[in-house]
């Protein structure tokens, strides 16, 4: 009876040694000195030995493996500070509070807008769109057209709007202009100064997290040496921060010039502002699959309008 287990153990050890010899022959296991019966049945190579072996092989071949640099798949290794700031966490977060970032926003996702209005209705008190200009992140003009209001013009407000009766001869109808402009603004980050007035003239409301109002960026005021929460005009900010004069003369404002100025002001504090927004804005739910049958017209519904704009329009 005692011989049975010893024979069984001996056969198992013999099979182990045969497999070991085969692995050594194929070069998969480094040869070693056997210590007879004292050699343990199974022994794993320590990790350090494997690491040294790889290092030795690399040095023999003249190649030293470089450690891999881990880079976020959505962030280029050569990303600029502006791009890194735009890589802000506004995505949906996990249960542990880890926020998922959106892809880096390209400059093409940014536009600036400015509108000029004329007076319609009783005593010309109603403001309606008469010109709209949209510029790119670099300040190039994307859109600039005169718009014919839906109601008869009572006051051209030329001193401020720059609009005259002559401009209305080639103006396009409001509905046509509205459709063209909203197509440009769709899915964009829209920059402007007191931009709620422009959206009201367009009878449209842009998503808050994709709106950048330069009249509501305290760090711009601070740079200009003005009270952080004060309502400062575009003209004043341009003079203090960009050292340029706008809205001068008696021919009215240029909506192209005002849109470009708003974009320049935004770019001055873009990194700081986007970083601040990333901290303050709540996580945004993932966007639903786009339905080709829907467009920006949904935002023209009254339920999307803030109460203060609703009050002004009544």
């Amino acid at each position: 009876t005692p011989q049975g287990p010893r024979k069984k153990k001996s056969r198992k050890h013999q099979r182990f040694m045969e497999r070991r010899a085969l692995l050594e022959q194929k070069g998969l296991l480094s040869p070693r000195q056997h210590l007879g019966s004292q050699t343990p049945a199974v022994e794993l190579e320590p990790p350090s030995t494997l690491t040294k072996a790889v290092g030795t092989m690399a040095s023999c071949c003249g190649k030293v493996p470089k450690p891999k640099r881990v880079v976020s798949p959505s962030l280029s290794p050569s990303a600029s500070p502006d791009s890194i700031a735009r890589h802000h966490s506004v995505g949906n977060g996990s249960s542990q509070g880890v926020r998922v970032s959106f892809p880096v926003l390209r400059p093409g996702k940014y536009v600036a807008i400015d509108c000029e209005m004329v007076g319609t209705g009783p005593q010309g008190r109603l403001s309606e769109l008469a010109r709209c200009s949209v510029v790119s992140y670099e300040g190039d003009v994307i859109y600039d057209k005169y718009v014919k209001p839906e109601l008869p013009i009572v006051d051209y407000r030329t001193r401020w709007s720059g609009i005259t009766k002559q401009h209305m001869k080639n103006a396009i109808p409001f509905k046509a202009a509205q459709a063209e402009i909203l197509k440009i603004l769709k899915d964009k980050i829209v920059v402007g100064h007191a931009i709620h007035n422009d959206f009201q003239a367009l009878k449209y409301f842009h998503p808050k997290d994709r709106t950048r109002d330069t009249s509501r960026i305290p760090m711009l005021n601070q740079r200009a040496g003005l009270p952080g929460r004060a309502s400062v005009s575009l003209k004043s900010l341009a003079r203090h921060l960009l050292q340029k004069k706008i809205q001068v003369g008696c021919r009215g404002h240029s909506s192209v010039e005002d849109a470009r100025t708003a974009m320049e002001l935004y770019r001055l504090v873009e990194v700081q502002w986007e970083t601040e927004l990333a901290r303050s804005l709540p996580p945004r739910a993932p966007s639903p699959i786009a339905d080709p049958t829907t467009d920006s017209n949904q935002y023209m519904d009254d339920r999307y309008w803030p109460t203060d704009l609703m009050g002004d329009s009544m």
Side-chain angles (χ1 to χ4, degrees):
T1 306
Q3 292 180 356
R6 282 201 298 272
K7 287 183 180 179
K8 187 175 181 182
K9 182 177 180 181
S10 178
R11 282 194 226 99
K12 186 185 293 185
H13 182 68
Q14 186 178 358
R15 286 197 300 271
F16 166 76
M17 295 304 293
E18 287 174 357
R19 285 197 300 273
R20 184 178 183 86
L22 182 62
L23 291 172
E24 288 177 356
Q25 186 180 353
K26 290 184 178 181
L28 299 175
L29 193 65
S30 59
R32 59 192 297 277
Q33 293 182 352
H34 303 289
L35 302 177
S37 60
Q38 294 181 1
T39 305
V42 178
E43 183 176 332
L44 296 177
E45 291 290 337
S48 59
T49 307
L50 296 175
T51 307
K52 289 177 182 177
V54 173
T56 306
M57 291 174 63
S59 61
C60 293
C61 300
K63 295 180 181 179
V64 179
K66 295 181 180 179
K68 291 184 179 180
R69 183 184 176 189
V70 180
V71 181
S72 171
S74 60
L75 190 60
S76 168
S78 59
S80 65
D82 287 7
S83 299
I84 294 170
R86 289 196 294 275
H87 190 76
H88 50 274
S89 304
V90 196
N92 54 321
S94 69
S95 58
Q96 296 180 349
V98 179
R99 295 155 77 89
V100 180
S101 297
F102 279 132
V104 176
L105 294 173
R106 302 180 304 278
K109 296 289 285 185
Y110 287 77
V111 295
I113 188 172
D114 188 75
C115 298
E116 300 298 342
M117 279 74 83
V118 292
T120 64
Q123 299 178 353
R125 291 180 180 175
L126 231 127
S127 294
E128 286 200 57
L129 183 67
R131 182 185 179 185
C132 182
S133 302
V134 181
V135 302
S136 68
Y137 184 81
E138 291 79 15
D140 300 320
V141 177
I142 298 173
Y143 187 92
D144 183 33
K145 290 186 180 181
Y146 290 98
V147 182
K148 186 176 182 180
E150 294 180 301
L151 295 176
I153 299 175
V154 177
D155 184 0
Y156 283 92
R157 303 177 184 173
T158 306
R159 172 67 181 81
W160 298 275
S161 69
I163 306 295
T164 65
K165 189 176 182 179
Q166 190 71 20
H167 292 134
M168 291 297 105
K169 290 183 178 180
N170 297 318
I172 65 172
F174 171 77
K175 289 292 184 184
Q178 184 191 50
E180 292 173 352
I181 297 161
L182 298 196
K183 189 175 180 181
I184 295 170
L185 301 188
K186 187 177 181 181
D187 299 326
K188 297 288 196 305
I189 304 292
V190 185
V191 180
H193 194 83
I195 200 170
H196 61 278
N197 293 322
D198 303 304
F199 290 151
Q200 188 174 10
L202 284 166
K203 298 182 181 179
Y204 166 77
F205 182 69
H206 201 65
K208 184 179 179 181
D209 64 334
R210 291 182 175 270
T211 302
R212 305 291 184 265
D213 190 342
T214 53
S215 71
R216 295 177 180 269
I217 304 182
M219 56 191 68
L220 275 175
N221 292 8
Q222 291 165 6
R223 279 199 176 200
L226 302 168
R229 296 293 174 183
S231 179
V232 184
S233 68
L234 184 67
K235 182 177 182 178
S236 181
L237 286 174
R239 185 175 71 254
H240 283 89
L241 298 175
L242 303 175
Q243 287 74 51
K244 74 175 189 178
K245 296 180 180 180
I246 63 170
Q247 302 174 358
V248 294
C250 57
R251 294 186 178 181
H253 302 175
S254 164
S255 50
V256 170
E257 182 181 52
D258 289 356
R260 281 175 175 161
T261 302
M263 181 62 84
E264 286 179 57
L265 289 169
Y266 167 73
R267 290 180 65 172
L268 279 179
V269 293
E270 178 183 6
V271 173
Q272 294 171 273
W273 185 234
E274 293 300 337
T275 304
E276 185 66 29
L277 283 177
R279 296 194 194 103
S280 61
L281 285 176
R284 185 177 180 179
S287 300
I289 298 174
D291 184 352
T293 61
T294 62
D295 56 20
S296 300
N297 288 335
Q298 60 174 318
Y299 293 112
M300 290 188 288
D301 197 298
D302 286 348
R303 63 197 175 98
Y304 288 99
W305 283 62
T307 53
D308 56 338
L309 295 189
M310 290 285 290
D312 292 343
S313 61
M314 291 181 179

